[in-house]
Amino acid sequence: MRDLFKSAKKLGVGAVLTFGLLSSGGTAQAANPLELNFWLSGPRYDGNVAPCEKALGAISEQFQEKEATFWNSPLVITGFNRVHETAFRPWQADNIPRRYCSGDAMLSDGKVRTVHYSIIEDGGFAGFNQGVEWCVTGLDRNWAYNPSCKAARP
């Protein structure tokens, strides 16, 4: 018991000394101009976004995975038709470059549905590569882009 009280006293004195040393530092000061501007140049986008056809494979894979995993559905995209660009960088020039596209997707159930998607520069995992956001009209089951995939368009 005696050793327990001795170690608690030593620990308490050490904690008080450490807290005192840390809190007795100088007052806070504003950053100087070098600190304010050092490595804060912001993102530099090139505007090199892949054409619409490059994203079709990723959309097919992601659609099949989503349907099988979350909705227990055997639906897959079997093909695309009438793929075209609807907009490129539709907002200000300093926004993240995106190419918006639309097309028809043939599904394994025999229905043709419209797919709207965007290809985003540096929009992949952790900002590497290009990312794709897509929506198949009528199959937005979690309403992420509702109504009728409107939020997936420019």
Side-chain angles (χ1 to χ4, degrees):
M1 258 339 229
R2 192 175 210 189
D3 292 334
L4 181 64
F5 288 122
K6 283 184 181 178
S7 61
K9 281 184 179 179
K10 288 180 184 177
L11 181 62
V13 170
V16 169
L17 286 175
T18 304
F19 179 73
L21 287 174
L22 292 176
S23 64
S24 67
T27 59
Q29 297 177 359
N32 66 37
L34 180 62
E35 292 170 332
L36 287 173
N37 295 320
F38 190 67
W39 291 106
L40 298 176
S41 59
R44 291 197 174 105
Y45 295 110
D46 299 327
N48 295 331
V49 182
C52 293
E53 292 77 18
K54 291 283 189 180
L56 299 179
I59 293 170
S60 294
E61 290 174 17
Q62 291 173 13
F63 178 81
Q64 188 273 329
E65 181 181 358
K66 179 193 78 151
E67 288 293 311
T69 304
F70 298 108
W71 304 111
N72 197 20
S73 167
L75 280 178
V76 294
I77 295 176
T78 58
F80 291 94
N81 191 20
R82 299 184 336 140
V83 174
H84 60 281
E85 180 180 309
T86 55
F88 179 70
R89 293 183 103 161
W91 301 298
Q92 299 172 356
D94 58 345
N95 287 340
I96 298 173
R98 296 172 186 246
R99 183 181 309 278
Y100 287 90
C101 307
S102 293
D104 294 331
M106 173 63 90
L107 300 178
S108 57
D109 64 355
K111 294 183 180 177
V112 177
R113 298 187 183 262
T114 304
V115 61
H116 301 286
Y117 61 97
S118 61
I119 305 170
I120 307 150
E121 183 177 343
D122 296 340
F125 179 72
F128 294 106
N129 296 326
Q130 297 183 7
V132 178
E133 291 183 3
W134 53 271
C135 180
V136 178
T137 305
L139 292 173
D140 185 20
R141 302 176 199 261
N142 61 347
W143 293 1
Y145 299 98
N146 236 10
S148 299
C149 296
K150 185 178 180 182
R153 294 180 257 166

